[in-house]
C-alpha cells in the first residue's frame, strides 16, 4: 500500500491559522509581534527563502521588515546593525539569512544576536538550553519536523529514529528532540559504514544530508515513517534527499518535496517570533 503523504503544506496552513488568531489577540493588547530579516547579497535560494518568510508574516498579520545589504558590507557594519536591532524594543525576532559572504564570520553574527530575539535558535545559548531540555527558541526546521510528527500522530516513544546528517541546523538538533520524545536515536553521516544496514532499522527515518535522492528503497524498512529534509536544486527541478517514487511504495508515511518540511520551517519562525513578543510583554 502506498504511503500516506504527510503534507507539510496543509499542516503549516493549519498552524498559520492558529498563529493568525493568536496575533490578532495580541494586537488587542497592543502587542505587535515584529520580525526583522536581514539579507546580504542576492543569492537566489536566500532570496526565495526570505520572500517566503516575509509573505508568511504578512499572511498571519505580523509585522515584518526586510533589510537588504550589498554583499560588500563589512562584518563591523553588519554587527553594528544587529546591535541596533537588539536594542530596538519594537523588534521581537532577528534573523540574518545565511550563508553570508566570506568576509563575514557567520558564527560572530549568530552570537551577536540577543538570545531573547534569536528566533532562528542558532545562538549557542539557545542551542545549550535546547540540549538540556530548557525552554528556548528551537531552531525552526527541527521544530517543524516535530510538529509534523505530532500532528500526524506518529508515536516516538521507544521507537528507533535514525537521522542521516549531522549539521548544526538540522541533524544534531532533531536528534536531541527525538531523544527528548523518548525515541532511541542513531545519527548517521557521510563516514558511516554500511549506511543502509542502519537506516533499514529505522521506524522513523530523517533524511537531512543534502544529496539528491540518495535514500532509496534499499535504505528503508517497510512501514517506516520517512521525513525528507532535503532541498536539492537539480536540472529536473527541486528534489529531496529521498527517492520519493520508490520509497513511497514501501513507507507507511512520507513527506514530499516540495510541500513537506519546507513550509513548516517558515511557520516555526513565525511561532518563535510570536512567542518572543509574548515573553517580552510578560
Ligand atoms: N539559510 C537557510 N536556512 C536558514 C535558516 O533557517 N535561517 C537562516 N538564518 N538562514 C538560513
Amino acid at each position: 500500500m502506498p504511503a500516506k503523504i504527510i503534507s507539510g503544506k496543509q499542516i503549516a496552513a493549519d498552524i498559520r491559522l492558529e498563529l493568525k488568531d493568536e496575533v490578532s489577540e495580541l494586537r488587542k493588547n497592543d502587542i505587535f509581534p515584529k520580525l526583522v530579516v536581514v539579507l546580504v547579497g542576492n543569492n537566489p535560494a536566500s532570496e526565495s527563502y526570505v520572500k517566503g518568510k516575509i509573505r508568511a508574516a504578512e499572511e498571519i498579520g505580523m509585522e515584518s521588515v526586510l533589510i537588504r545589504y550589498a554583499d560588500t558590507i563589512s562584518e563591523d557594519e553588519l554587527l553594528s546593525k544587529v546591535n541596533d536591532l537588539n536594542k530596538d524594543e519594537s523588534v521581537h525576532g532577528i534573523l540574518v539569512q545565511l550563508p553570508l559572504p566570506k568576509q563575514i564570520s557567520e558564527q560572530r553574527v549568530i552570537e551577536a544576536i540577543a538570545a531573547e530575539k534569536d528566533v532562528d535558535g542558532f545562538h549557542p545559548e539557545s542551542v545549550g538550553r535546547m540540549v538540556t531540555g530548557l525552554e528556548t527558541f528551537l531552531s525552526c526546521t527541527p521544530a517543524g519536523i516535530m510538529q509534523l510528527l505530532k500532528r500526524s500522530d506518529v508515536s516516538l516513544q521507544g521507537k528507533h529514529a535514525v537521522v542521516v546528517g549531522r549539521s548544526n541546523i538540522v541533524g544534531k538538533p532533531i536528534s536531541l528532540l527525538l531523544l527528548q520524545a523518548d525515541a532511541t536515536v542513531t545519527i548517521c553521516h557521510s563516514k558511516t559504514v554500511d549506511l543502509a544496514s542502519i537506516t533499514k532499522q529505522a521506524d522513523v527515518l530523517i533524511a537531512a544530508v543534502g544529496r539528491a535522492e540518495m535514500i532509496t528503497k534499499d535504505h528503508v524498512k517497510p512501514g517506516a515513517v520517512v521525513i525528507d529534509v532535503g532541498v536539492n536544486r537539480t536540472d529536473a527541478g527541486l528534489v529531496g534527499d529521498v527517492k520519493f517514487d520508490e520509497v513511497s511504495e514501501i513507507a507507511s508515511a512520507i513527506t514530499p518535496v516540495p510541500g513537506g518540511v519546507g513550509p513548516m520551517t517558515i511557520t516555526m519562525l513565525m511561532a518563535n517570533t510570536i512567542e518572543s513578543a509574548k515573553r517580552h510583554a510578560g
Side-chain angles (χ1 to χ4, degrees), residues 201-218:
Q201 297 173 34
D203 301 307
V204 177
L205 179 61
I206 314 283
V209 246
R211 279 183 56 195
E213 298 183 323
M214 73 157 285
I215 302 293
T216 67
K217 66 177 181 346
D218 298 333

Side-chain angles (χ1 to χ4, degrees), residues 46 49 53 95-99 120 122 140-141 169 265:
S46 294
Y49 287 134
K53 289 166 187 175
L95 181 144
V96 179
Q97 186 69 23
L98 305 176
D120 249 339
F122 291 172
C140 301
T141 301
I169 295 184
T265 297

Side-chain angles (χ1 to χ4, degrees), residues 18 22 47 56 68 78 98 102 112 133 155 162 193 211 215 260:
E18 294 165 22
E22 203 169 343
E47 291 271 1
R68 304 185 70 117
L78 185 58
L98 305 176
K102 56 184 180 315
S155 75
V162 176
V193 175
R211 279 183 56 195
I215 302 293

